[in-house]
Amino acid sequence: MEAPREGPTWWDRLAALGRREPSFRPRADPLAEPRLRQRADAATLAALFVVAQLVIPARLVLRGLPISLTPADLLGLFLLLCWLCAHFTTTLGAAKGRLPIRTALFVYGVGHLIIYGYTTLSYLPKDELNLADHSAVLIAANLGVALAVCDGVRGRERLDLVLKTVVVSGAVISVIGGLQFVFGLDLTQYMALPGLRPTGVEGVEAVIGRSDFNRVASTMGHPIEFGVVCSMLLPIAAHYGFHARDRGQPAGRWWLCTGLIAGGLMFSVSRSAVLGVASVALVLFLGWPHRRRLQAMAATVVFLAGIKVLVPGLLGTLFNLFATIGSDDSVRFRTHDYSWALAEIGRRPLLGRGVGTWYAPKHQVFDNQYLLTLVEAGALGLALFVGIASCGMAVALMIRARSTDARDRNLALTLTGCLLVPLVCAATFDLLSYPGVTALMFLLVGVVGALLRATRDEPPPAPQPQGRGATVEVMR
């Protein structure tokens, strides 16, 4: 017979170590309520939309469809369907009631429906009619994103999920752009996904030369779009960096994202990106406290010094884009077509000839969204474009004026600066022709609406206790 064991073997001790709870981990309170698992909601779908819109290369569209739709477009249409279904019930968690942002989105949608009806009322060539139909679908998808975020993202925690996804996705595409800039390595060539195909419409390469530098587009359709997107994402990343410690979270990860996005902005070598970040900086510096201004200025000086050391000549190239603006070929190309635009605007000044119907190479290219909107959608379309961004800015400033929470006030100021970027950069390129920056603008308009609901619906913070002992307890 086998002799009895005198004690546990090494295998028993190893198994016991695997079952043993670490000493530093607090034991669960048996009387505490179990934490409910967060179910997927509009914030989850919006976060997926952000990843699909920013990370998946813009030139990839779904196979087997009669029109070119990206996965992000399909998610936008699905969000619109979810929003419509949610408003037929009272049990799906969609917010009800009048809201300035939702009214502005409704006016935008009805206005473009009128323009589309006017466009298709008369004869159009088949190619232009197909593009008008495609543009109508994309407008519906963007409206679906904004409405779903506005009415479906409830509470600051879920709103943070959407915006943090925006920041992390911006850092990812900045890394991709950095590899394109430094090594000429285009990772988007290897990012083909099942069920997607490259579209034949996008003829712009991801890496373009400018003044001995690689001008990169990352996953976007053009380097200008990439730079403008980075200028809209940069202040959001900085917002989470400044307020991370208020939430009891490490700030390093958000400052890393801020630095990466700032690098992506520089790597686009784009005049529009510089104008965009300058407009954001103007808004933030007017609203920030003095101490934060000094911190931002110091960080900017350190960043620019690092760029000058690591990438010699890049700052000089960006400076020359503005110093030689009077003799720059790209500027002359943008201004020589004003006579063409004015002649076309005079034919249909109110409703235009149809959104998406004026395209290259069939027609003269307008690197100015205001001119292009007047040609395609008339004065009504221009009012809708300026109005939707201006409404988002006005509501954000209203939130800042009414809120007593420092984080909400800074987020509202940040969103104001972000929505100013499309209005400024629309004068330098055909902004609405690029889905990434257009979708980001509508997403942020919806975020403003969700922030307004959060500040109105949630109860005000409890008053702080008074007295010396209470002050010590609060600080603890």
Side-chain angles (χ1 to χ4, degrees):
M1 297 179 60
E2 184 180 358
R5 298 177 182 175
E6 296 182 357
T9 63
W10 66 271
W11 177 259
D12 297 329
R13 294 192 184 94
L14 186 61
L17 284 176
R19 294 190 301 267
R20 185 177 301 168
E21 194 170 341
S23 58
F24 60 86
R25 182 183 302 172
R27 294 183 180 272
D29 185 1
L31 300 179
E33 295 183 2
R35 185 176 180 180
L36 297 178
R37 187 176 182 181
Q38 175 66 47
R39 296 185 300 175
D41 57 358
T44 309
L45 294 177
L48 291 175
F49 170 83
V50 169
V51 174
Q53 183 67 73
L54 296 181
V55 178
I56 298 179
R59 63 174 177 268
L60 296 180
V61 298
L62 294 166
R63 295 180 182 272
L65 296 181
I67 59 176
S68 297
L69 292 179
T70 65
D73 297 333
L74 198 62
L75 278 172
L77 294 173
F78 180 69
L79 282 169
L80 178 61
L81 179 62
C82 291
W83 180 84
L84 289 172
C85 293
H87 277 275
F88 281 108
T89 70
T90 58
T91 59
L92 294 180
K96 310 289 183 179
R98 189 174 301 173
L99 201 70
I101 291 296
R102 192 165 64 176
T103 302
L105 292 170
F106 175 78
V107 172
Y108 186 91
V110 171
H112 273 282
L113 188 62
I114 294 172
I115 294 171
Y116 177 77
Y118 175 76
T119 301
T120 56
L121 185 63
S122 58
Y123 171 77
L124 273 180
K126 184 178 180 180
D127 56 342
E128 296 183 5
L129 181 60
N130 290 337
L131 289 174
D133 294 340
H134 183 249
S135 298
V137 173
L138 297 184
I139 290 172
N142 288 325
L143 287 174
V145 173
L147 288 169
V149 172
C150 179
D151 291 345
V153 178
R154 309 297 299 273
R156 292 175 176 84
E157 182 180 354
R158 306 306 291 164
L159 189 59
D160 284 339
L161 171 67
V162 177
L163 291 178
K164 288 179 179 179
T165 305
V166 169
V167 172
V168 174
S169 299
V172 171
I173 64 175
S174 297
V175 171
I176 296 174
L179 293 175
Q180 293 172 344
F181 181 85
V182 177
F183 303 107
L185 174 63
D186 185 12
L187 291 182
T188 61
Q189 297 179 354
Y190 310 100
M191 295 173 66
L193 299 176
L196 302 181
R197 62 173 178 84
T199 179
V201 177
E202 293 289 344
V204 179
E205 298 179 356
V207 182
I208 305 174
R210 171 178 265 183
S211 300
D212 298 329
F213 289 106
N214 289 328
R215 189 186 183 196
V216 302
S218 186
T219 60
M220 300 291 103
H222 194 277
I224 296 179
E225 182 188 19
F226 175 51
V228 173
V229 165
C230 287
S231 68
M232 296 175 69
L233 299 182
L234 182 63
I236 303 176
H239 163 76
Y240 284 105
F242 280 121
H243 291 277
R245 291 187 178 181
D246 298 342
R247 304 168 185 267
Q249 301 172 352
R253 67 186 72 172
W254 302 114
W255 289 123
L256 175 61
C257 291
T258 304
L260 291 174
I261 294 172
L265 185 149
M266 302 293 289
F267 297 155
S268 67
V269 197
S270 169
R271 186 184 294 110
S272 299
V274 177
L275 290 174
V277 76
S279 62
V280 169
L282 176 62
V283 173
L284 295 180
F285 269 63
L286 290 176
W288 273 349
H290 183 65
R291 180 180 179 183
R292 184 164 294 178
R293 293 176 190 170
L294 294 178
Q295 292 173 341
M297 292 174 62
T300 302
V301 170
V302 172
F303 173 76
L304 293 179
I307 290 292
K308 185 173 181 60
V309 172
L310 296 176
V311 191
L314 179 57
L315 293 181
T317 298
L318 291 173
F319 176 78
N320 290 332
L321 291 178
F322 294 91
T324 60
I325 195 169
S327 58
D328 192 282
D329 292 337
S330 63
V331 176
R332 287 201 297 264
F333 181 78
R334 283 172 166 82
T335 56
H336 87 286
D337 51 14
Y338 284 179
S339 58
W340 293 75
L342 293 176
E344 189 63 32
I345 292 169
R347 295 188 178 96
R348 297 178 181 180
L350 182 59
L351 299 177
R353 69 192 314 277
V355 179
T357 60
W358 189 272
Y359 69 99
K362 184 176 181 179
H363 301 289
Q364 179 71 32
V365 176
F366 299 137
D367 282 324
N368 185 318
Q369 186 58 52
Y370 293 111
L371 291 179
L372 182 59
T373 299
L374 283 171
V375 170
E376 291 188 336
L380 176 59
L382 181 61
L384 294 173
F385 167 61
V386 175
I388 194 67
S390 299
C391 179
M393 294 170 59
V395 173
L397 290 175
M398 182 182 68
I399 296 171
R400 174 175 170 78
R402 294 181 178 180
S403 178
T404 58
D405 185 272
R407 288 175 294 181
D408 291 342
R409 287 171 55 82
N410 188 69
L411 179 57
L413 182 70
T414 300
L415 293 173
T416 303
C418 292
L419 290 175
L420 179 62
V421 174
L423 294 180
V424 172
C425 295
T428 61
F429 78 114
D430 46 339
L431 182 141
L432 295 180
S433 300
Y434 294 94
V437 64
T438 304
L440 182 59
M441 181 185 73
F442 277 91
L443 177 77
L444 294 182
V445 169
V447 166
V448 172
L451 181 61
L452 178 60
R453 289 195 185 279
T455 55
R456 288 196 323 185
D457 296 345
E458 293 187 5
Q464 297 292 342
Q466 302 296 327
R468 181 177 179 183
T471 303
V472 173
E473 183 65 26
V474 170
M475 293 179 63
R476 188 181 303 171

